[in-house]
Amino acid sequence: MKVIIQTILNVEGNRGFRNGEFHVRDSEFKKDPDFAVAVVAYEWIQQQWRETGCRDFVIEKVTWNEENDITKDVKQIRPVVKDDLPF
């Protein structure tokens, strides 16, 4: 399923708006549409963070298809770190 994600980020006092079209897996979207889109939005925000030189930022608002606010869902997502160390 294709969705349009909009973000408003505050990077060290500079607010910026971005939007883009993304593909979300149909199976994940059918289970929980907001969470599925939030994961894709989180990954995109991380990409934006790297593009800005890893500066401090605040997620102000994240929506998909201009009507579904997923800001809280995106803020709650944390990366899963695979711990495959032998000790």
Side-chain angles (χ1 to χ4, degrees):
M1 166 142 216
K2 288 190 178 184
V3 296
I4 296 180
I5 300 173
Q6 300 90 16
T7 62
I8 298 176
L9 302 179
N10 186 331
V11 180
E12 295 182 345
N14 297 314
R15 295 179 74 211
F17 172 82
R18 279 186 155 181
N19 66 345
E21 186 176 17
F22 297 89
H23 179 73
V24 180
R25 286 186 173 179
D26 289 335
S27 59
E28 297 296 322
F29 188 82
K30 288 177 185 175
K31 289 179 192 175
D32 186 355
D34 284 343
F35 183 73
V37 176
V39 169
V40 173
Y42 176 82
E43 292 170 352
W44 185 42
I45 289 169
Q46 292 302 305
Q47 178 185 348
Q48 293 177 49
W49 176 68
R50 288 188 296 275
E51 289 172 358
T52 61
C54 302
R55 298 185 308 187
D56 291 334
F57 72 96
V58 175
I59 299 170
E60 291 188 2
K61 189 169 187 179
V62 182
T63 59
W64 64 278
N65 289 353
E66 297 181 6
E67 57 189 38
N68 303 295
D69 189 347
I70 55 171
T71 307
K72 288 182 183 179
D73 296 331
V74 172
K75 287 182 176 182
Q76 291 177 351
I77 294 176
R78 298 287 178 251
V80 176
V81 179
K82 183 178 177 185
D83 186 10
D84 60 352
L85 297 175
F87 51 87

